[in-house]
């Protein structure tokens, strides 16, 4: 969660053995304990959750009860059609070739998310925000955070810095010049001599496994699984619209889900236009193709960080 204020307590009586959890369940610190739709199978498991403290995202309070609207096993349904083949990231030749530019050619904005990958441990990546720059001297970023605490980094530490801006992904090497603690905690990174820039197509999709809700044409939200995602749109698996309501191409709506970005659970509410509806061999589910339209600035920032994070993990 972005802050503890978005969490509300869950009574133990609201969770039942043999029943699927109706929400993602977190502890007081916002750490995910149980994914929504997971069946609680034993009394020991339930008691263990209670000991950790039970909380859910307050933003989900108005969503439909998943006991009456079952959560689709979307990835299982889709795998039957795809023959267990996972969606693949387009090859580099499709996405665009790499070029080398100067730091002055990069059009970043204050507050943009950058990712620090430790040179001595490529598996560790931390999200920071751009604070500013001193021409020909340093780039200023916030300090990385781990488990809710600011991570101290020694002077001289080397990083690979990655970022996504518009349709381009950037990467460059840098060193920590100074870890500054006043007037707030931030870091001076060395100015790179060159930056690698790669064009990422708007429709390049990254496989994900997020669970959320799809609302179309004013109908009640449907529980949906996000199969793949880009800055331009997404593929979803969800039940058909109830009753005689049909999913019409061009219908507007919203996709709501929680993205895990840099150990934070951030809610997204993305306006969209329905572009495709496809049968997948199961009458209980359809595959929906949606295009995002008019994203708010905050959601665009979170979405770009989430997409780039997933791209980075799969490299």
């Amino acid at each position: 969660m972005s802050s503890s204020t978005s969490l509300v307590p869950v009574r133990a009586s609201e969770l039942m053995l043999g029943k699927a959890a109706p929400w993602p369940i977190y502890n007081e610190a916002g750490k995910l304990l149980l994914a929504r739709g997971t069946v609680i199978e034993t009394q020991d498991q339930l008691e263990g959750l209670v000991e950790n403290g039970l909380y859910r995202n307050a933003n989900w309070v108005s969503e439909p009860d998943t006991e009456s609207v079952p959560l689709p096993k979307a990835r299982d349904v889709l795998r039957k059609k795809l023959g267990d083949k996972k969606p693949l990231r387009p090859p580099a030749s499709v996405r665009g070739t790499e070029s080398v530019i100067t730091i002055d050619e990069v059009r970043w904005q204050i507050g943009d998310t950058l990712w620090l990958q430790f040179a001595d441990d490529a598996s560790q990546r931390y999200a920071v925000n751009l604070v500013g720059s001193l021409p020909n001297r340093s780039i200023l970023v916030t300090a990385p955070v781990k488990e809710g605490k600011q991570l101290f980094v020694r002077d001289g530490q080397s990083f690979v810095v990655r970022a996504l801006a518009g349709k381009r992904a950037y990467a460059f090497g840098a060193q920590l010049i100074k870890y500054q603690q006043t007037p707030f905690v931030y870091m001076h990174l060395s100015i790179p001599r060159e930056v690698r820039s790669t064009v990422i197509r708007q429709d390049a999709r990254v496989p994900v496994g997020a669970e959320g809700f799809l609302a179309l044409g004013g109908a009640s939200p449907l529980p949906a699984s996000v199969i793949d995602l880009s800055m331009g749109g997404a593929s979803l698996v969800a039940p058909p619209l109830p009753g005689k309501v049909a999913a019409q191409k061009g219908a507007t709506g919203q996709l709501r889900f929680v993205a895990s970005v840099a150990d934070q659970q951030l809610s997204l509410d993305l306006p969209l236009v329905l572009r495709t509806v496809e049968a997948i061999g199961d009458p209980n589910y359809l595959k929906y193709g949606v295009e995002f339209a008019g994203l708010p600035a905050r959601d665009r920032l979170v979405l770009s960080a989430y997409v780039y994070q997933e791209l980075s993990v799969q490299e």
Side-chain angles (χ1 to χ4, degrees):
M1 294 298 140
S2 57
S3 69
S4 59
T5 58
S6 63
L7 297 177
V8 294
V10 174
R11 296 187 300 272
S13 60
E14 294 181 277
L15 300 178
M16 299 177 61
L17 292 179
K19 297 288 187 179
W23 322 277
I25 304 299
Y26 303 88
N27 64 13
E28 186 175 8
K31 181 179 180 181
L32 182 66
L33 301 177
L34 198 70
R36 182 173 68 90
T38 302
V39 175
I40 302 173
E41 298 179 343
T42 68
Q43 185 65 33
D44 288 343
Q45 184 183 14
L46 179 59
E47 291 175 355
L49 289 168
V50 173
E51 289 177 1
N52 280 282
L54 303 175
Y55 297 85
R56 62 175 172 81
N57 185 350
N59 295 330
W60 289 44
V61 69
S62 61
E63 302 297 356
D65 177 7
T66 53
E67 288 188 350
S68 59
V69 184
L71 181 71
K73 297 180 180 179
R75 288 183 295 279
D76 295 336
V77 174
L78 192 59
R79 285 194 187 106
K80 291 179 182 179
K81 182 184 180 187
L82 298 178
D84 293 327
K85 294 180 181 179
K86 296 182 179 180
L88 298 178
R89 187 182 172 199
S93 58
V94 173
R95 296 197 310 272
T97 57
E98 183 180 281
S99 60
V100 176
I101 61 177
T102 67
I103 192 67
D104 293 333
E105 296 176 77
V106 180
R107 296 293 183 255
W108 290 328
Q109 301 294 324
I110 301 301
D112 281 358
T113 300
L114 309 181
W115 297 89
L116 302 185
Q117 177 181 332
F118 284 68
D120 54 1
D121 186 356
S123 65
Q124 296 296 317
R125 299 186 183 189
Y126 298 93
V128 298
N129 296 108
L130 181 65
V131 176
S133 65
L134 299 175
N136 301 317
R137 296 180 61 186
S138 65
I139 299 171
L140 282 62
V141 300
T142 57
V145 174
K146 182 177 183 179
E147 297 178 352
K149 298 181 180 179
Q150 286 171 331
L151 186 68
F152 181 78
V153 185
R154 70 179 185 276
D155 291 352
Q157 172 72 55
S158 296
F159 303 98
V160 174
V161 182
R162 301 179 184 273
L164 184 68
K167 298 181 182 180
R168 289 182 176 272
Y170 299 95
F172 61 87
Q175 289 185 319
L176 176 61
I177 299 175
K178 180 67 176 178
Y179 189 96
Q180 189 72 39
Q181 301 198 42
T182 57
F184 59 93
V185 180
Y186 66 98
M187 304 192 306
H188 290 263
L189 302 182
S190 61
I191 293 284
R193 293 183 178 179
E194 58 185 34
V195 177
R196 299 193 306 276
S197 171
T198 305
V199 174
I200 299 178
R201 287 176 41 146
Q202 182 81 354
D203 58 354
R205 298 289 179 90
V206 54
V208 295
E211 305 290 348
F213 289 91
L214 171 65
L216 285 173
S220 298
L222 302 171
S225 291
V226 185
I227 301 302
D228 57 53
L229 186 69
S230 76
M231 288 299 297
S235 295
L236 320 167
V237 171
L241 291 175
K244 297 181 180 179
V245 182
Q248 300 292 334
K249 296 178 183 179
T252 59
Q254 290 178 307
L255 172 63
R256 303 171 186 170
F257 69 98
V258 176
S260 178
V261 179
D263 297 325
Q264 296 186 62
Q265 305 297 315
L266 303 175
S267 61
L268 286 167
D269 195 345
L270 308 175
L272 58 83
V273 178
L274 180 63
R275 294 305 185 194
T276 62
V277 182
E278 180 183 351
I280 56 175
D282 187 316
N284 296 313
Y285 305 111
L286 294 172
K287 182 180 178 183
Y288 298 84
V290 301
E291 178 184 358
F292 300 139
L295 296 180
R298 179 265 181 192
D299 285 345
R300 176 171 288 278
L301 180 61
V302 173
L303 181 62
S304 66
Y306 182 57
V307 169
Y308 188 65
Q309 172 185 274
E310 297 302 305
L311 283 171
S312 298
V313 169
Q314 295 166 38
E315 286 182 343

